């Protein structure tokens, strides 16, 4: 089969991705022929109303779920059709996650949570990696909290620990699922600025799934999804413009 | 299982095991009495009374362990239902009424389990009698299957299950209506308030018991009746230990957990037991009781044997040792088996504790699977938790059993000794046997919860409700 490897700056790519649940007349299509490239150093927001398929797209691109049809790559590696064990290793080594809530292992302290991806891989961070983790800890203001358990942290602090963990092992891709969903607006802005800075300064590809136009306004690129299809792929836009766009989709439904 | 018994599967099973044990023992006693037909009728009645009391004592141990297990099961059910309880509270229901409902569920589960256990025991004794008569090992008699005294274990199981459900549902009173509206998973730290009185009692009983035990050892140098003081000291000190266990067992769990490794799988498993200190303590203590009792019997037996042989070897010779073993060995085996039965009930509790723990950590497992925890690592983390609980229980049980067994032996035969005290005799086969049983228990016990955990889909688990 003829295969074109994605050009260097692309960190992830999907081609003709479809996902449906159930069979026959009861089948529900969550994704319908989605093709998308994510680039290094960019914070991409994926927006869409509830049930639009944006979470399914993220889950599949992150190797958490498998598509019904279509192909996908992370970096230069095609991950279509890989088994559970291979996908687990991909997630462990090449993908970082920031969830809306319940991000951290409750029984580990902050330092343990940040180190967790390394421990999963059965190794300790080397000197360079430890220096990088220290930089993250300082810039995220977590130095004083290293020995604290997640239950002793505020929502914003927990989210910052999750970001430190997601960036710490320098994965090519970081997925953030409604990262500001459970935060107050000031803390939410801080977290968004951090994600944008991480993409710009450290060159990782960061994808943020959100239905919050303010969150989307921090992104370098905003992709709109509706009924399982990409309906628009825009550059930077204001919160008002993003809001109008989503409203337009909702009304046209 | 549906409706009122949802989540009470372990309670029904545990009640059935305890009731079957009590009814079965009484039924078997009756069969043995009739089959052996010892002496005139009056003598039978005396022996029946003695054997009945012994059977009740063994049953009491089993019921006690069953009650501990059920307390744990019910308290975990309550944790799983906090949102639902809070919603009813929000809509105007009282906490007391909610708690009564859960206690009533416990009563139903206990009655169902006791009934099933009774039927199972009848069937088993009946089948054994049929086989025994058919093979000629039992004389043909009109064996009665129903003895009035069987009502005692059955009622005791029902009542103890209801009581255990009441104790286990204490937490319902602490559920605030607002918890129905909070999206986040509530912190599951155990509440430790109001526990000072309990600790004081634990210390008072523990110290008194140990002093009585020491007194029994000293008195044992003079008279074998010191055993009575020893039994009292054992009961008092163990009650103290049960009360204070939540302050001791987690420490042992932590040490054992550290020995089990520091990889992510080991950490996820071993740290979890420490998150629910009361739950883990009860799960371990159920097992401790069985292990301690069996160990106590074996240690007492081997130590008495050692002392007796030291004294009598000159006059008895080598044959004396063989006679001693032949006379008392089978009795020891039977008694140890009957006492060890409670370990089966505790094992059910262990599996149930682990399984509920898995179900309550669905979000956590989904998250760590997303982060790259492999299926093998997930399975290992649950095995680690099971091994940690089993090893902790066995360690504590063996230490307690050796101490109690040695004190008992000293109290009985200390006065027979010529040259001071004999150190406790710990036979290697006991340690190997206990380690093997703990290993089998942990590996088998972690299979069901591990299968549940592997069925968790990361995508569904991390989806926000």
């Amino acid at each position: 089969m003829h295969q074109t490897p994605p050009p260097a700056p692309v960190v992830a790519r999907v081609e003709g991705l479809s996902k449906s649940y159930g069979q026959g007349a009861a089948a529900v299509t969550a994704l319908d022929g989605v093709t998308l490239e994510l680039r290094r150093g960019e914070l991409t927001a994926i927006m869409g109303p509830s049930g639009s398929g944006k979470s399914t797209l993220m889950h599949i691109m992150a190797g958490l779920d498998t598509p019904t049809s279509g192909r996908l790559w992370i970096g230069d590696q095609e991950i279509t059709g890989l088994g559970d064990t291979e996908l687990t290793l991909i997630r462990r080594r090449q993908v970082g996650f920031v969830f809306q809530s319940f991000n951290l292992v409750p029984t580990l302290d902050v330092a343990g949570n940040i180190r967790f991806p390394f421990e999963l891989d059965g190794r300790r961070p080397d000197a360079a990696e430890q220096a990088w983790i220290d930089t993250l800890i300082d810039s995220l203001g977590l130095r004083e909290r290293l020995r604290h358990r997640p239950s002793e942290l505020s929502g914003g602090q927990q989210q910052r620990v999750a970001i430190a963990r997601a960036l710490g092992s320098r994965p090519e891709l970081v997925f953030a699922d409604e990262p500001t969903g459970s935060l107050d607006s000031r803390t939410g802005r801080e977290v968004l600025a951090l994600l944008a800075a991480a993409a710009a300064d450290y060159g990782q590809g960061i994808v943020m799934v959100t239905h919050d136009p303010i969150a989307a306004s921090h992104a370098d690129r905003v992709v709109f999804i509706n009924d399982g299809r990409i309906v628009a792929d825009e550059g930077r836009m204001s919160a008002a413009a993003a809001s109008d766009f989503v409203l337009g989709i909702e009304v046209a439904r | 299982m549906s409706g009122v018994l949802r989540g009470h599967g372990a309670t029904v099973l545990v009640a059935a095991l305890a009731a079957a044990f009590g009814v079965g023992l009484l039924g078997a006693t009756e069969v043995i009495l009739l089959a052996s037909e010892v002496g005139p009728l009056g003598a039978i009645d005396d022996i029946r009374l003695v054997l009945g009391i012994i059977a009740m004592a063994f049953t009491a141990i089993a019921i006690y362990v069953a009650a501990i297990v059920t307390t744990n099961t019910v308290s975990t059910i309550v944790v799983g239902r906090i949102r639902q309880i809070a919603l009813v509270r929000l809509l105007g229901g009282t906490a007391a009424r909610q708690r009564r409902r859960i206690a009533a569920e416990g009563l139903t589960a206990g009655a169902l389990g006791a009934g099933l256990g009774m039927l199972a025991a009848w069937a088993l004794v009946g089948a054994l009698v049929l086989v025994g008569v058919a093979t000629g090992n039992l004389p043909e008699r009109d064996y009665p299957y129903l003895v009035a005294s069987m009502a005692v274990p059955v009622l005791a199981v029902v009542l103890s299950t209801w009581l255990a459900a009441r104790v286990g549902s204490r937490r319902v009173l602490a559920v605030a209506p607002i918890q129905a509206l909070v999206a986040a998973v509530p912190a599951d730290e155990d509440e430790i308030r109001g526990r000072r009185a309990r600790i004081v009692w634990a210390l008072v009983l523990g110290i008194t018991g140990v002093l009585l035990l020491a007194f029994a050892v000293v008195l044992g140098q003079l008279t074998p009746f010191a055993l009575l003081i020893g039994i009292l000291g054992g009961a008092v000190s163990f009650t103290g230990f049960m009360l204070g266990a939540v302050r001791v067992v987690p420490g042992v769990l932590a040490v054992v957990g550290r020995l089990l490794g520091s990889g992510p799988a080991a950490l996820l498993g071993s740290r979890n037991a420490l998150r629910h200190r009361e739950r883990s303590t009860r799960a371990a203590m159920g097992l401790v009781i069985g292990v301690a009792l069996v160990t106590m019997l074996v240690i007492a037996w081997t130590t008495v044997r050692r002392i007796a042989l030291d004294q009598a070897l000159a006059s008895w010779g080598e044959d004396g040792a063989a006679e001693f073993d032949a006379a008392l060995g089978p009795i020891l085996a039977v008694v140890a088996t009957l006492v060890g039965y409670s370990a089966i009930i505790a094992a059910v509790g262990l599996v149930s504790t682990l399984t509920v723990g898995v179900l309550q950590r669905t979000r956590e497992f989904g998250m760590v699977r997303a982060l790259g925890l492999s299926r093998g690592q997930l399975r290992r983390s649950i095995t680690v938790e099971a091994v940690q609980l089993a090893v902790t229980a066995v360690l504590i049980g063996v230490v307690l059993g050796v101490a109690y067994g040695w004190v008992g032996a000293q109290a009985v035969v200390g006065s027979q000794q010529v040259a001071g005290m004999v150190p406790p005799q710990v036979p290697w086969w006991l340690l190997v046997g206990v380690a093997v049983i703990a290993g089998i228990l942990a590996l088998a016990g972690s299979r069901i919860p591990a299968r549940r955990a592997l069925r968790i889909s990361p995508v569904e688990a991390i989806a926000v409700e």
Side-chain angles (χ1 to χ4, degrees):
Chain A
M1 185 180 283
H2 176 69
Q3 178 184 325
T4 333
V10 171
V11 287
R13 187 158 73 97
V14 298
E15 225 175 68
L17 209 62
S18 293
K19 176 76 176 177
S20 45
Y21 300 96
Q23 287 185 343
V28 177
T29 304
L31 287 180
D32 187 5
V34 171
T35 297
L36 181 67
E37 280 183 353
L38 298 174
R39 291 183 286 269
R40 190 173 293 280
E42 264 188 7
L43 172 59
T44 305
I46 298 183
M47 284 202 82
S50 299
S52 61
K54 58 186 192 300
S55 290
T56 307
L57 176 61
M58 185 198 82
H59 291 152
I60 293 177
M61 290 189 84
L64 277 171
D65 205 350
T66 49
T68 311
S69 64
R71 303 171 66 188
L72 62 154
W73 293 261
I74 287 183
D76 292 337
Q77 188 188 0
E78 176 158 12
I79 64 165
T80 319
L82 291 187
D84 185 82
T85 309
E86 288 107 331
L87 286 179
T88 300
L89 290 178
I90 299 258
R91 291 200 299 271
R92 185 189 291 177
R93 292 173 184 158
Q94 282 163 276
V95 181
F97 288 95
V98 180
F99 301 112
Q100 174 173 356
S101 60
F102 207 94
N103 253 306
L104 308 177
V105 179
T107 46
L108 298 179
D109 60 15
V110 168
N113 268 288
I114 295 176
R115 249 196 339 261
F116 195 64
F118 292 95
E119 307 227 327
L120 281 177
D121 225 8
R123 65 194 187 93
R124 302 239 145 206
D126 62 28
E129 284 166 332
Q130 190 55 53
W132 165 240
I133 291 173
D134 283 334
T135 309
L136 285 171
I137 288 172
D138 287 326
S139 64
L140 290 162
L142 295 170
R143 181 62 63 191
E144 305 299 313
R145 305 273 171 196
L146 288 178
R147 295 280 150 240
H148 289 209
R149 293 285 171 90
S151 58
E152 301 167 311
L153 302 176
S154 70
Q157 287 165 341
Q158 291 186 29
Q159 220 60 348
R160 275 185 271 161
V161 177
I163 291 172
R165 180 192 60 199
L167 300 177
S169 54
R170 291 186 195 263
E172 290 160 64
L173 256 180
V174 174
F175 287 95
D177 188 2
E178 302 278 6
T180 58
S182 55
L183 301 180
D184 64 75
S185 57
R186 198 174 67 88
T187 318
R189 271 201 307 278
E190 277 174 29
V191 165
L192 289 165
L194 279 168
L195 288 175
D201 301 349
Y202 314 134
Q204 281 156 314
I206 303 186
V207 188
M208 168 174 67
V209 171
T210 184
H211 62 256
D212 175 11
I214 295 177
S217 72
H218 286 78
D220 302 305
R221 176 186 176 197
V222 188
V223 175
F224 293 90
I225 289 202
N226 191 32
D227 289 338
R229 292 168 208 241
I230 292 179
V231 292
D233 188 346
E234 308 283 325
R236 277 192 165 279
M237 62 199 311
S238 69
S243 177
D244 285 347
F245 218 107
V246 174
L247 212 55
I249 295 173
E250 292 266 37
V251 171
R253 249 180 161 187
Chain B
M1 205 147 303
S2 65
V4 74
L5 288 176
R6 191 167 57 90
H8 288 286
T11 305
V12 173
L13 180 55
V14 159
L17 284 171
F21 186 63
V23 171
L25 272 187
L26 291 173
T29 307
E30 204 60 30
V31 169
I32 291 169
L33 280 174
L34 274 173
S36 54
E37 226 185 352
V38 266
L41 221 64
I44 286 196
D45 277 349
D46 286 348
I47 296 172
R48 175 177 290 136
L49 185 67
V50 172
L51 287 182
I53 289 173
I54 293 173
M56 296 285 185
F58 287 135
T59 309
I61 295 169
I63 291 178
Y64 183 59
V65 172
I68 294 175
V69 169
T70 298
T71 305
N72 236 11
T73 311
V74 171
S75 76
T76 49
I77 287 175
V78 170
V79 170
R81 281 197 208 164
I82 280 181
R83 293 287 294 276
Q84 190 191 327
I85 293 166
L87 186 62
V88 175
R89 297 272 288 117
L90 191 79
L91 298 174
T94 65
R97 180 138 184 262
Q98 293 276 299
R99 189 181 176 191
R100 269 203 302 279
R101 226 192 87 188
I102 290 177
E105 289 175 14
L107 187 64
T108 313
L112 178 67
L116 290 175
M118 189 168 69
L119 291 178
W122 278 343
L124 189 64
V125 172
L128 286 177
V129 166
L130 279 182
V131 170
V133 171
T135 55
N137 286 317
L138 281 178
E140 266 190 75
R141 295 263 154 69
D142 194 12
Y143 294 109
Y145 292 109
L146 213 53
V147 189
S149 58
M150 285 177 181
V152 176
V154 171
L155 286 178
V157 166
V158 175
L159 283 179
S160 69
T161 311
W162 174 68
L163 201 67
R166 260 197 81 74
V167 174
S169 59
R170 195 173 39 199
R171 206 195 165 99
V172 170
L173 302 177
V175 175
I178 194 70
Q179 282 177 281
L181 305 176
V182 183
V185 184
D188 38 31
E189 299 294 326
D190 292 316
E191 81 276 43
I192 305 291
R193 63 199 157 77
R195 291 290 156 78
R196 186 151 301 160
R198 191 166 140 178
I199 297 303
V200 170
W201 271 112
L203 284 174
V204 168
L205 290 176
I207 292 170
T208 311
V210 169
L211 288 176
L212 284 171
L213 290 173
F215 181 54
V217 170
V218 175
L219 196 65
Q221 299 291 319
L222 304 173
T223 164
F225 287 108
L227 181 63
L228 297 176
I229 306 281
I231 291 174
L232 182 67
V236 170
S237 62
F238 193 75
T239 309
F241 188 74
M242 283 302 292
L243 284 176
V246 76
R247 293 292 173 109
V248 178
V249 175
V252 185
L253 279 170
V255 172
V256 172
R258 231 166 284 143
L259 294 178
L260 289 173
S262 60
L267 276 184
L268 283 180
S270 63
R271 293 271 176 94
N272 186 58
L274 296 170
R275 190 158 25 149
H276 310 272
R277 290 187 297 160
E278 210 151 355
R279 188 194 292 181
S280 308
T281 300
R282 280 198 216 107
M285 286 310 288
L287 211 50
V288 164
I289 292 172
V291 174
L293 286 170
V294 172
T295 307
M296 176 181 82
L297 283 171
V298 172
I299 297 297
W301 152 263
T302 44
T303 307
V304 166
R305 181 177 177 275
R306 171 89 235 147
I307 296 171
L309 288 183
D310 276 355
Q311 302 304 311
L313 206 58
S315 51
W316 283 6
E318 287 300 324
D319 290 346
E323 263 174 49
F324 190 86
D325 287 347
L328 293 176
I331 297 178
L332 173 80
V334 169
V335 172
T337 308
L338 293 180
V339 163
Y341 184 84
S342 70
I344 297 175
I345 295 174
V348 173
L350 193 76
V351 174
S352 143
T353 302
L354 288 170
T355 308
V356 174
V358 164
L359 295 180
Q360 289 179 355
R361 280 187 292 163
T362 300
R363 288 285 292 274
E364 183 183 326
F365 284 148
M367 194 249 307
V368 290
R369 285 279 287 131
L371 293 181
L373 187 84
S374 69
R375 293 167 67 85
Q377 284 173 318
L378 179 55
R379 198 182 294 121
R380 213 174 313 141
S381 89
I382 290 160
T383 307
V384 162
E385 200 181 335
V387 170
Q388 182 190 22
L389 281 170
V391 168
T392 301
V394 163
L395 280 180
I396 296 175
V398 166
V399 168
L400 288 178
V402 168
Y404 286 138
W406 180 77
V407 169
Q410 287 299 330
V412 174
V413 291
S415 55
Q416 307 293 315
Q417 278 169 260
V418 195
M421 294 183 189
V422 168
Q425 305 291 310
V426 184
W428 62 269
W429 53 263
L430 173 74
L431 300 179
V432 171
V434 160
V436 166
I437 288 172
I440 292 174
L441 199 70
L443 294 182
S446 63
R447 281 183 64 97
I448 297 172
R451 212 176 307 142
R452 283 286 180 88
L454 288 174
R455 227 183 285 149
I456 293 171
S457 136
V459 172
E460 283 166 30
I462 59 181
V464 180
E465 59 227 72

